[in-house]
Amino acid sequence: MVSNAVIPRADCEIRRLTVDDLDCLREIRAEAIRAHPQTFGSPEEDEGGDVMMAAYRQWLGETILGAFGCEGLIGVAGFYVSRYRKSQHRGHIFSVYVRENERGKGVGDRLVKELLAQAEARVEQVHLAVGSTAVAAIKTYQRNGFEIYGTDPSVIRIGDTTYDHYLMMRKFSTSAGPDSPASIGA
């Protein structure tokens, strides 16, 4: 009998990335974009150079967690809450990526669980978008309580090919909000 259980990676440290980790973030994002262009990328990254680095510095002002093994940064995951008052009950997970040789070891689960633990004190629900063909990522999110609620069709175009993204959400059982005492990254 074959088990589908995720084997946890015990030697992995999860911590918030800082400006000191900017080069590591740039490196892992470049890998994610090369390996999965249908999933990752931003207008700033298309432009590159100083514009891209400014965007990464801004991301670090949000919550970006990194998973570190003995070989360095092996995974990342970001979280933010809208700055718009009427949307501050919703959080958003973005840019979740685990290096290929570290997949199946629970790194993605640990990153998502940590983001959710921090988010629960602050928002009522968490949203994300994931490539519709990213089966392992979808399963990771489903294991962590996310459900697909829609499809964003043809969200990415590379050449003549378009790619859909699933929209996923997890609601928390208790209400939290922008006025709650806890704060992500505080």
Side-chain angles (χ1 to χ4, degrees):
M1 176 182 215
V2 176
S3 171
N4 290 328
V6 174
I7 302 165
R9 183 181 166 133
D11 63 340
C12 172
E13 174 196 2
I14 306 288
R15 69 168 172 80
R16 186 172 178 173
L17 299 182
T18 68
V19 70
D20 293 336
D21 300 307
L22 192 57
D23 287 336
C24 294
L25 175 61
R26 181 186 46 77
E27 180 183 312
I28 201 166
R29 281 292 297 180
E31 178 182 316
I33 292 166
R34 275 191 313 275
H36 303 282
Q38 73 280 12
T39 302
F40 295 100
S42 69
E44 298 87 0
E45 288 166 322
D46 289 345
E47 204 166 318
D50 292 340
V51 173
M52 178 185 72
M53 293 306 282
Y56 290 168
R57 282 187 189 91
Q58 182 180 345
W59 290 4
L60 290 172
E62 304 293 343
T63 298
I64 304 276
L65 298 181
F68 289 84
C70 58
E71 56 281 338
L73 186 61
I74 59 174
V76 293
F79 176 82
Y80 71 93
V81 176
S82 173
R83 288 182 169 83
Y84 300 108
R85 181 121 176 103
K86 293 180 180 179
S87 298
Q88 289 183 344
H89 63 289
R90 294 169 47 130
H92 303 271
I93 289 179
F94 69 100
S95 295
V96 178
Y97 179 74
V98 176
R99 291 202 154 130
E100 190 74 37
N101 62 335
E102 295 296 335
R103 293 184 186 162
K105 300 177 183 177
V107 175
D109 274 305
R110 287 192 58 199
L111 286 164
V112 171
K113 283 180 189 321
E114 181 62 30
L115 286 178
L116 289 172
Q118 293 182 31
E120 189 170 14
R122 193 143 174 227
V123 296
E124 296 172 13
Q125 53 190 261
V126 177
H127 293 254
L128 60 84
V130 60
S132 61
T133 59
V135 176
I138 293 165
K139 286 181 180 180
T140 296
Y141 298 131
Q142 288 173 328
R143 273 193 308 274
N144 285 282
F146 284 86
E147 295 180 5
I148 295 170
Y149 70 89
T151 301
D152 193 352
S154 302
V155 70
I156 300 289
R157 178 183 301 276
I158 300 173
D160 292 335
T161 305
T162 60
Y163 299 89
D164 297 344
H165 280 182
Y166 288 142
L167 305 175
M168 299 184 80
M169 176 184 62
R170 175 178 169 178
K171 288 186 177 182
F172 294 116
S173 58
T174 59
S175 289
D179 298 325
S180 67
S183 172
I184 290 181

